[in-house]
Amino acid sequence: EWSGETIEDLIQCLVEKKGPEVERELKGEDGSFAYVVSVNGKIQRKLSTPIQDGDEVFFFTPMGGG
């Protein structure tokens, strides 16, 4: 069960359910969000992005290269 509305709410819910290690994993050493987030296949840049029931949310590490 989850009653949030945004990506940030989802992250907070995960931290509450799984513990503070989730928050440490999701944030970089400087405290900024360390992952790229995709909602329904579209990259989202703001944690305030709304999400709805049935949306697919993926967290993945940014990749570099060329």
Side-chain angles (χ1 to χ4, degrees), residues 28-64:
E29 291 181 17
D30 65 354
S32 65
F33 192 64
Y35 280 69
V36 175
V37 182
S38 165
V39 178
N40 297 324
K42 295 182 182 177
I43 301 296
Q44 301 300 321
R45 307 249 183 252
K46 297 180 181 178
L47 295 179
S48 61
T49 298
I51 53 178
Q52 299 175 355
D53 188 29
D55 285 351
E56 288 186 327
V57 180
F58 290 97
F59 296 89
F60 52 98
T61 56
M63 300 178 80

Side-chain angles (χ1 to χ4, degrees), residues 13-24:
C13 179
L14 292 171
V15 169
E16 289 171 7
K17 288 182 182 241
K18 300 295 183 180
E21 61 275 0
V22 171
E23 187 170 30
R24 286 191 296 272

